[in-house]
Amino acid sequence: MRVLLSIKPEFAEKIFKGTKKFEFRRSLFKNPNIKTVVVYASSPVQKVIGEFEIDSILNFSPKILWEKTKEFAGISETYFYEYFGDKQMGFAIKIKKVKRYEKELSLQKDFNAKPPQSFLYLQSEIA
């Protein structure tokens, strides 16, 4: 099963270049069978640009999470702590294998979906 995540374009690009190996989330999907994340590059791109396999998911306090992921976080420490704010726990999805689509896809036309605030379960296979 796959899930679609909205990711800022600058971070999505780092994922596909291999410089960002963790995608951070304040909350996470509950389904343990999710193996693939489909990447929706949010505004101004607003396209589905690729996907990645999930290696593992870390769940720790932001302090521990930063220590474990900072080398390949793809974001600054300041941005990291601003993102998690006063959260007691956070998630880091460890990226295993990326696949950039040859042709960017439309969320509306290709998935019949609207941009999710955090995530969206995908039922059908595309691309």
Side-chain angles (χ1 to χ4, degrees), residues 22 24 58 60-73 77 80-81:
F22 293 95
F24 299 100
L58 307 178
F60 295 103
S61 70
K63 186 176 189 322
I64 293 171
L65 205 54
W66 178 253
E67 285 306 312
K68 289 183 173 289
T69 63
K70 64 184 175 186
E71 188 178 351
F72 293 104
E77 184 175 7
F80 175 90
Y81 282 108

Side-chain angles (χ1 to χ4, degrees), residues 6-60:
S6 290
I7 300 176
K8 290 184 178 186
E10 64 185 289
F11 302 141
E13 287 302 324
K14 287 181 178 185
I15 287 170
F16 292 105
K17 285 181 182 151
T19 57
K20 182 175 182 12
K21 298 190 184 206
F22 293 95
E23 174 57 23
F24 299 100
R25 296 283 145 164
R26 290 183 281 246
S27 62
L28 202 61
F29 40 87
K30 303 289 185 249
N31 188 327
N33 298 319
I34 300 297
K35 302 288 182 237
T36 303
V37 171
V38 175
V39 177
Y40 171 75
S42 60
S43 187
V45 175
Q46 298 180 308
K47 293 284 183 191
V48 177
I49 63 169
E51 61 186 59
F52 63 82
E53 289 180 24
I54 297 172
D55 180 290
S56 59
I57 298 175
L58 307 178
N59 182 12
F60 295 103

